[in-house]
Amino acid sequence: MRLKLAQASMALSLFLPVYFMVAALGVKFDLWSWRVGLLTLILQVGLPLFGLSLILGLVALVASLVRKPRTGWKMALIGLLIPLLGLGYAGALRQGSGDVPPIHDVTTDIADPPAFSATVMAARAAVDANPVNPMSAPMGSLEAYKGPEFSAIAAKTLGEVGRGAYPDLRPLSLPAEPSKVAAAAVEEAKAQGWTLVTTDPASGVIEATAETFWFGFEDDVAIRVRPSPTGGSIVDVRSTSRVGLSDLGANAKRIEAFLAGLEARIAAS
């Protein structure tokens, strides 16, 4: 009986990573909606399975060690370690989410952010995506942030919250002329693995869609290249998630990576 318990514990713990991967990739490949994949399969079903695996692993390990012959303890240990590692990963994610504000729309220019085209806005509307709010909008006026849990940021604007969390996210000044920078921006967007939507180097407007690996969540990116009053170019970027309240800092990291790559590309040219 103890051996069977240890085997069941290990089998369930090995099944869990596969289950979570299938739930996430099913969203990516349009087998089911993100609500089904994230809210139902992972949160409603996956988390109880995770808890069951943790308890079963602990019981199996104790049962296998409490008396001789101590058979199956290695399998039981595996059955306990896998959910413990998952618990540690979930804890790290939770801690990381507490370090960033619950926003999903950031830009380098909060006073005059790049605007999304009608094409992008139509694509967002087609999937019932998050609204694209003005950076000047007070958080408390936005429907998603009207709960008491957001009282600390209610009086701040969306732009102010983003700027407070990511103070280094600023327009990028480059010495090259706008047409050259815009062409380089197109190449850098491709290098980042984004799907280009609008490419108009002549006007300095580039739009793209970035997709996350596991769930295939899509975030829209608007890039604007303008002449600098002092010569050269000014580059601004806005990155906005289609789903989810908090992006866990993903949009800011995306903009930072893009600007760093663009700056290196111009420097090397």
Side-chain angles (χ1 to χ4, degrees):
M1 178 63 69
R2 289 184 298 160
L3 181 59
K4 290 182 178 179
L5 187 64
Q7 290 172 336
S9 170
M10 186 176 70
L12 179 58
S13 69
L14 292 175
F15 167 74
L16 279 179
V18 177
Y19 174 82
F20 281 104
M21 285 190 290
V22 169
L25 292 175
V27 178
K28 183 182 180 73
F29 294 108
D30 295 324
L31 298 180
W32 43 74
S33 71
W34 72 269
R35 290 181 176 85
V36 170
L38 180 60
L39 302 182
T40 302
L41 295 180
I42 290 184
L43 296 183
Q44 294 181 14
V45 178
L47 291 187
L49 279 177
F50 181 85
L52 175 62
S53 177
L54 192 63
I55 294 171
L56 186 60
L58 181 60
V59 171
L61 183 61
V62 172
S64 64
L65 294 175
V66 70
R67 63 184 177 87
K68 296 180 180 180
R70 295 181 175 86
T71 58
W73 70 268
K74 292 182 180 179
M75 288 185 289
L77 183 61
I78 293 173
L80 180 61
L81 285 179
I82 291 177
L84 278 178
L85 289 173
L87 186 64
Y89 177 71
L93 284 180
R94 184 177 179 84
Q95 182 178 2
S97 66
D99 295 335
V100 297
I103 59 174
H104 49 264
D105 186 1
V106 294
T107 182
T108 55
D109 188 345
I110 63 174
D112 182 20
F116 290 111
S117 67
T119 300
V120 170
M121 295 302 291
R124 294 179 66 90
V127 295
D128 193 25
N130 291 324
V132 178
N133 297 301
M135 285 289 162
S136 58
M139 298 295 292
S141 69
L142 305 178
E143 190 62 34
Y145 299 95
K146 290 187 176 180
E149 64 271 32
F150 304 114
S151 59
I153 60 174
K156 297 181 180 180
T157 67
L158 175 59
E160 288 170 343
V161 173
R163 178 55 49 82
Y166 314 108
D168 295 331
L169 211 61
R170 303 279 180 167
L172 176 64
S173 296
L174 293 170
E177 62 182 16
S179 60
K180 181 178 180 180
V181 172
V186 171
E187 295 306 312
E188 184 58 31
K190 293 178 182 177
Q192 294 288 332
W194 303 346
T195 300
L196 291 168
V197 178
T198 302
T199 56
D200 189 359
S203 64
V205 174
I206 299 102
E207 292 178 305
T209 299
E211 183 178 288
T212 63
F213 177 78
W214 285 111
F215 286 91
F217 289 145
E218 293 182 327
D219 299 340
D220 294 304
V221 183
I223 304 163
R224 181 181 65 201
V225 182
R226 297 186 293 185
S228 172
T230 58
S233 305
I234 297 289
V235 183
D236 283 296
V237 185
R238 182 175 189 171
S239 184
T240 309
S241 302
R242 293 190 181 183
V243 299
L245 188 65
S246 174
D247 63 7
L248 303 180
N251 284 298
K253 291 177 183 177
R254 177 179 297 115
I255 293 175
E256 290 170 349
F258 171 79
L259 291 179
L262 178 59
E263 187 171 23
R265 191 176 292 271
I266 292 296
S269 62

